[in-house]
Amino acid sequence: MSNWQEMEKKYLFTNTVRWSILPVKGKGSYLWDENGTKYLDLVGGWAVCCLGHSHPVMTKALSEQSKILVQCGPQSCNIPQLHLAELLVKISCCNRVFFANSGAEANEGAVKLARRYGKLKLNGAFTTITAYNSFHGRTLAMTAATGQAHYQDAYQPLPAGFINVPFNDIEAIKNATTKDTCAVMVEPVQGEGGVNIPDESYLKAVRQWCDEKGILLILDEVQTGVGRIGTMFGYQQFGIEPDIMTLAKGLGGGIPIGAFLAKEKCAVFVPGDHGSTYGSNPLMCATSLAVMEYVIKNDIPAKAQKTGLYLIDGLVKLKNKYPFITDVRGRGLLAAIEFNKDISQSVMAACVENGMMVNNVKPNAVRIMPPLTISTKEIDEALAVFDKVFAGVKV
Ligand SMILES: *Cc1c(COP(=O)(O)O)cnc(C)c1O
């Protein structure tokens, strides 16, 4: 398809800076463009394709369920939904599940649940405290929750009821808490904000503060959940449990599904309070169920943990070789390389030239979030491409 860039210009909004290639096929850790050129994919459908592109477990479930029941709507349950909810309750600290279609919607629902809780149990408290450099989605309310001015400025006025405070700073949360506060919402490790890992004590302190004040802790695990940072859920690494947790990205392995889960004490919805036409869609739930069963059976989180350490090891060697790299950081298979200058866009372009996809998460940092099934041999291949690209950086 030689004219795709003309079509892009003519028919699509210029709402994002896109790659200079057109992926037409994916398999495992690789993508192919329209010319048949192969790319090692360190982005994995935006931290979504936990089993790699087009894993047979996923495509089989999709195809089989598509012949049985695709959609039935929110006024009935369906079998894949019930099994998937049961599985998520079994492997998490939560008791109830609501399925949505995306991460943003899962987070909206979680905040609505917290406000419902605030109305019923906290004298009408409605404010949610979130962090700077967070990312919670693109709806208007989640734009207010997302503590990054460049996502917010164009859309003022934003919905009320959100306060953004510095991440990894428990005093900031304490100072922002008032009688109107119903919840604190944070990511265990910030993803879109540049892969920011909090101090070991931070989430414990947040948990303790929420307990002390009787307010809810919502963990946005849309990116960190389902093995991304080396455990099934991110909270398992920080010695705490959330009251409400959201999932999306890895949950479906590539198909659109999101979910929020909650402990029994905050399951305060009554009929009519919340819903979704496509949420709990049997096609998506059956596919997610097959993906999750595979993830559990093959202990994919442990694999991500191991491969992630191998990746960081290689990245540290590159940092020692190239003085313009100021930091490498990561947990599991969510990692970032930070530079002393705003060169991430040109680094990304050079990687693409050399057959590898990465994400320029910040002007001075690239993010790595490959399929969790990526092999150490493929990591070696990635490190070799980075080495070649960094050797060409003029500083
Ligand atoms: C991607 C992401 C979202 C938004 O998910 P969408 O499916 O794009 O709506 C929310 N929170 C976090 C932490 C994310 O990484």
Side-chain angles (χ1 to χ4, degrees):
M1 203 177 175
S2 56
N3 63 338
W4 68 270
Q5 277 165 318
E6 277 162 48
M7 292 177 74
E8 176 190 2
K9 277 202 191 77
K10 192 165 170 196
Y11 298 118
L12 301 182
F13 288 101
T14 47
N15 59 310
T16 190
V17 181
R18 298 187 183 92
W19 285 328
S20 56
I21 67 140
L22 179 70
V24 295
K25 194 180 95 173
K27 189 81 202 153
S29 306
Y30 294 92
L31 287 172
W32 284 261
D33 72 10
E34 82 286 8
N35 304 315
T37 307
K38 188 178 173 187
Y39 299 86
L40 180 59
D41 184 10
L42 300 189
V43 174
W46 222 254
V48 166
C49 305
C50 57
L51 302 183
H53 292 282
S54 293
H55 194 283
V57 155
M58 189 183 92
T59 55
K60 181 164 172 271
L62 251 181
S63 127
E64 282 179 0
Q65 184 63 36
S66 74
K67 291 171 219 153
I68 301 170
L69 183 66
V70 169
Q71 164 71 5
C72 51
Q75 209 150 52
S76 66
C77 322
N78 64 75
I79 292 171
Q81 169 204 35
L82 292 167
H83 285 313
L84 181 59
E86 179 185 47
L87 181 143
L88 290 174
V89 166
K90 211 166 93 189
I91 63 171
S92 75
C93 63
C94 294
N95 309 96
R96 304 267 177 173
V97 188
F98 180 91
F99 292 109
N101 313 292
S102 67
E105 277 176 275
N107 286 335
E108 277 289 324
V111 168
K112 283 175 76 178
L113 182 62
R115 286 199 186 186
R116 202 74 181 88
Y117 186 89
K119 269 222 159 50
L120 290 165
K121 314 227 168 160
L122 302 170
N123 299 312
F126 61 91
T127 299
T128 300
I129 299 172
T130 66
Y132 290 136
N133 287 314
S134 61
F135 185 82
H136 299 296
R138 302 283 200 156
T139 60
L140 272 176
M142 287 309 110
T143 298
T146 293
Q148 301 195 52
H150 67 107
Y151 287 119
Q152 297 179 331
D153 292 346
Y155 301 105
Q156 301 287 355
L158 292 169
F162 295 93
I163 297 179
N164 310 142
V165 302
F167 186 59
N168 198 24
D169 180 348
I170 182 62
E171 291 310 315
I173 289 177
K174 289 184 179 175
N175 292 334
T177 305
T178 70
K179 64 174 181 23
D180 290 331
T181 308
C182 67
V184 174
M185 176 163 76
V186 289
E187 299 152 80
V189 171
Q190 291 187 328
E192 316 286 322
V195 187
N196 307 316
I197 305 165
D199 295 338
E200 216 46 60
S201 61
Y202 176 64
L203 287 173
K204 274 206 183 100
V206 177
R207 176 71 274 176
Q208 208 173 351
W209 179 250
C210 289
D211 288 342
E212 208 173 307
K213 292 286 148 184
I215 59 181
L216 300 178
L217 174 57
I218 306 172
L219 285 185
D220 178 347
E221 295 243 20
V222 167
Q223 187 155 162
T224 51
V226 191
R228 174 58 52 187
I229 66 169
T231 43
M232 181 59 82
F233 306 111
Y235 72 80
Q236 292 163 326
Q237 293 183 36
F238 294 95
I240 57 142
E241 290 183 355
D243 299 301
I244 305 175
M245 161 171 80
T246 59
L247 299 171
K249 296 198 164 91
L251 180 61
I255 52 99
I257 186 169
F260 63 87
L261 288 75
K263 295 210 169 191
E264 196 61 43
K265 75 157 185 184
C266 25
V268 291
F269 281 150
V270 298
D273 274 357
H274 193 55
S276 168
T277 300
Y278 294 120
S280 299
N281 172 285
L283 186 60
M284 298 308 140
C285 288
T287 307
S288 169
L289 180 64
V291 167
M292 288 302 294
E293 281 173 343
Y294 185 94
V295 164
I296 294 164
K297 192 162 152 239
N298 295 278
D299 204 352
I300 298 295
K303 280 204 175 72
Q305 163 82 15
K306 226 172 124 195
T307 320
L309 289 174
Y310 187 82
L311 169 69
I312 289 290
D313 207 47
L315 293 179
V316 167
K317 288 193 183 106
L318 289 174
K319 177 175 180 273
N320 294 337
K321 185 167 170 187
Y322 298 102
F324 59 87
I325 300 177
T326 50
D327 191 26
V328 297
R329 54 182 177 264
R331 276 272 173 119
L333 282 169
L334 180 60
I337 312 172
E338 196 172 285
F339 311 110
N340 65 359
K341 284 203 189 81
D342 289 353
I343 55 168
S344 74
Q345 190 144 359
S346 60
V347 166
M348 177 179 74
C351 285
V352 174
E353 292 269 291
N354 285 281
M356 186 167 85
M357 315 315 292
V358 295
N359 161 238
N360 55 333
V361 67
K362 291 260 149 185
N364 68 340
V366 293
R367 178 174 45 161
I368 301 165
M369 41 184 174
L372 304 182
T373 48
I374 193 169
S375 67
T376 50
K377 194 163 152 275
E378 288 161 347
I379 295 284
D380 285 339
E381 194 185 320
L383 293 167
V385 174
F386 277 129
D387 197 3
K388 185 172 169 206
V389 165
F390 293 154
V393 169
K394 290 176 194 62
V395 278

